[in-house]
Amino acid sequence: MTETNTIPDKATKAAPKRRKPAASRKKPAARKRAPAKAKKGSSRAASGGGSGHLVIVESPTKAKTLTRYLTPVLGRGVTVKASYGHVRDLPESKLGVDTEKAFDPTYEILSGSKKVVSQLKSAAKRNQSVWLATDLDREGEAIAWHVAYAIGLANGRVDPRVRRVVFAEITPEAIEQAFRHPRAIDKPLVDAYQARRVLDRLVGYKLSPLLWKKVRPGLSAGRVQSVALRLVVDREREIEAFVAEEYWTIEVPFDTEQDERFTSSLHSVGGKKIEIPNEEAAKRHVDAIRAAGTYTVTAVRKREQRQNPPRPFITSTLQQEAARKLGFSARRTMVVAQQLYEGIELGAEGQTGLITYMRTDSTHLAPSAVQEIREAIKERYGDQYLPPKPRVYRSKKGAQEAHEAIRPTHASRHPDAIESYLEPDQLKLYRLIWDRTIACQMNEVVFDGTSVDITAGDHMLRATGRVMLFDGFLVVYREGRDDEDEEAEGRLPDLTENQPLRLVDVIPSQHFTQPPPRYTEASLVKALEEHGIGRPSTYAATLSTLVDREYISIDQRRIFPTDVGKVVTDLLVEHFPQIVDLKFTASMEEDLDEIARGHKDWPEVLRQFYDPFERLLEKKDKEITRDDVIKETTEEKCPVCGSEMTVKLGRYGKFLSCSKYPECKGTRQIDGSQRPEPQVVPGEVCEECGSPMLLKHGRYGEFLGCSKYPECKFVKSKTIGGSCPKCNEGKLAQRRTRRGKAFYGCTRYPDCDYALWTRPLDDPCPKCGGTMTPDDERGGVCLSCGHAAAPAEATASSTPDQASSG
């Protein structure tokens, strides 16, 4: 789209004075004339008959913030509306891509966007210009393009009324600058978006059905998610295959003549650095050091060490640091950052954007922002913390230098000053961004580093120390670490060469090598970035997909692959190695960047990938069988018929199944336990077909299911305890929050909203029939009447953990 648009005259000048309303003016004596009708094709007709300006953004929050700044720029008659994100996409129920031609996509108005599109279309007809002010990245460009088509302003050729504006921050200065310099929709950026969207659709819609047929229904594969999963699975395999090796270290504390104590460690013997493999070797070195008799300082090395401040945040480093220091998931970080970017209500200031755009891979800072940061440093911390010149950070290759790093819109807006207006998560993330931004323009930290060599016979011992002389940027910010193993800082005594020392002790210590650590969200994002997999805006969605698909689980911030994740990865590595190849996926990202720069044709890039991929799919569909998916053998015997058991993959992971299935349906969990057989529940009948109900065991505990399954799929929760303490009509049943946490709520919900976190006891209150909860001292207490039951009376058949584990 090559059209260029310019801002109307009223945007480049002060807003013209408006005439008084007709009601307040004296009517002229002359006879009124009917207004002339606009001729077909006239400028008035082309502009839709309106005189105002329609500005379209993605979200209502952004719209509210933007409205404050637009009247001085565009004049009166400005309407700001939200598209609520994408309004068009590929269809859900079919591929929606013509693979025979040029991969032409078929876009449909999203079902939830039809009303919004209708409203935008009507508003566009009433205004003389339409400004597309969506985000400045590839996704934002695509939203603008989709909106233009959806409201009828880009059918074949973009309507001259359409103007595209971008800005990295929502401030009066940035908005004025953006609206004074509009541009056309960036077609190469849109092409790059379409290439990524179509590529992901081809991989997902073509490969996922194969997984359904060969592994189990409900699985999915994705171009980026499958590579991320492979990183997690490969790391787990490294840990499983790791064999710990023993090694020893020897620490030797000394005293000086002034009784100053410090500790050294064995470094080398006979001039060669050594490794101590076992206790026997350690004992030989301990005896030799003790037998040396004299201990002399032979070398003292001192040098000043400087530590530079960290770079300002880009998307990936913000996600990593928020995970390390705040415990935020990548998705949580991006949701809160979006809120800070789009604007927060700050009392008299109104709706105000607090940070610059949060999807960026550039470490560039605008000169005006740098000047404001330097002024804040000088005012708050003094001249000694301000370097003579501003610090300039180079972005990695391929970064979009038109963007900025993530920073506060105004460095003068300290977190403490707006604390009362922010939610806890918003304050934490804003403070993190403010601290990092200020720190990146401060002086470095200065240390006094000392290294001392001590001779004990032919053994050489070494002691090191580091003392901070100037705290520099650390007065504001200290970078987080994936593993808390920070080097201890300590001062050594003022030692000189040939100085004698007194031996205090010789202390050998046994150690074992450790396997590589499991990924955290922070370290996985870092690995994806280092390998060039995905882009900053995709990391949060990739991790969320892996969790939602139950390919990974996260426990105490560490990422574990599930059995399903391992099986899917093994299948892809064996049969579709290109899809999960790190270098290939990174090269595809480079191709997408080349398309965005206008250097490559996107259908041709897709053709080079798709043709061999399609042939491989057809081949593997015939070759792979379900028995090829899991090749683990077992000597276990079926508990029902005594036949051999085989490893199968179920919805919740691997399990043992009788080799004579379906004649014999004996199963057993891998750990040797056996899932209870469904049992008929007396007095319970299916509400749909009247058949008896069975007590079954699922992932989240016990539930009731129709005995005629799969013909009848009626299920309901198993109730616990007595009557509901609030309404006295319903009972309590286990339910789950959106985050998967178990709680116990009334079966009459939403008519009754009673909920309880503690698992009730199975038996009702012997006094009133109400629900009882455990009590350490009294056995159980009724929630309705307060009756306390003896420990023998109040017993639950299962613990909360058992109930939630299934």
Side-chain angles (χ1 to χ4, degrees), residues 439-509:
C440 81
Q441 289 298 321
M442 296 182 80
N443 269 323
E444 62 266 39
V445 184
V446 182
F447 297 96
D448 179 12
T450 305
S451 176
V452 177
D453 292 347
I454 303 156
T455 300
D458 62 349
H459 286 61
M460 193 273 281
L461 312 167
R462 179 166 291 174
T464 57
R466 191 173 75 161
V467 178
M468 186 187 297
L469 301 178
F470 177 65
D471 55 2
F473 69 87
L474 290 180
V475 72
V476 179
Y477 182 82
R478 184 184 294 272
E479 195 167 14
R481 301 170 65 92
D482 290 321
D483 295 289
E484 298 301 324
D485 57 352
E486 284 198 60
E487 180 181 341
E489 298 175 356
R491 181 186 296 274
L492 291 176
D494 190 13
L495 302 172
T496 59
E497 290 188 14
N498 300 318
Q499 179 178 348
L501 301 170
R502 292 198 308 269
L503 178 69
V504 176
D505 200 357
V506 184
I507 307 168
S509 298

Side-chain angles (χ1 to χ4, degrees), residues 559-625:
I559 299 176
F560 296 79
T562 63
D563 286 340
V564 179
K566 291 179 181 179
V567 169
V568 170
T569 297
D570 291 344
L571 184 145
L572 294 177
V573 168
E574 181 178 356
H575 299 284
F576 299 91
Q578 193 178 42
I579 296 296
V580 289
D581 181 73
L582 299 178
K583 292 183 179 179
F584 171 76
T585 307
S587 70
M588 287 300 303
E589 294 293 347
E590 292 175 3
D591 285 342
L592 293 172
D593 289 341
E594 288 296 294
I595 294 170
R597 299 184 189 103
H599 298 161
K600 284 191 175 183
D601 180 56
W602 73 272
E604 181 57 32
V605 170
L606 292 185
R607 180 62 63 194
Q608 293 174 4
F609 163 79
Y610 182 70
D611 287 351
F613 174 64
E614 185 181 36
R615 290 192 294 268
L616 182 61
L617 268 174
E618 293 175 356
K619 177 185 177 184
K620 294 300 180 181
D621 188 34
K622 298 174 182 176
E623 290 182 357
I624 303 173
T625 66

Side-chain angles (χ1 to χ4, degrees), residues 250 266 269 274-292 458-459 506 508:
I250 297 176
L266 177 59
V269 178
I274 63 162
E275 294 181 354
I276 307 174
N278 51 50
E279 185 177 10
E280 182 181 352
K283 189 175 184 303
R284 289 199 303 269
H285 291 297
V286 169
D287 292 343
I289 293 170
R290 290 186 184 279
D458 62 349
H459 286 61
V506 184

Side-chain angles (χ1 to χ4, degrees), residues 619-647:
K619 177 185 177 184
K620 294 300 180 181
D621 188 34
K622 298 174 182 176
E623 290 182 357
I624 303 173
T625 66
R626 279 185 174 269
D627 292 335
D628 295 330
V629 174
I630 301 179
K631 301 176 181 178
E632 298 179 39
T633 59
T634 173
E635 296 180 358
E636 293 282 334
K637 300 299 181 182
C638 174
V640 178
C641 71
S643 301
E644 290 184 356
M645 302 196 80
T646 59
V647 179

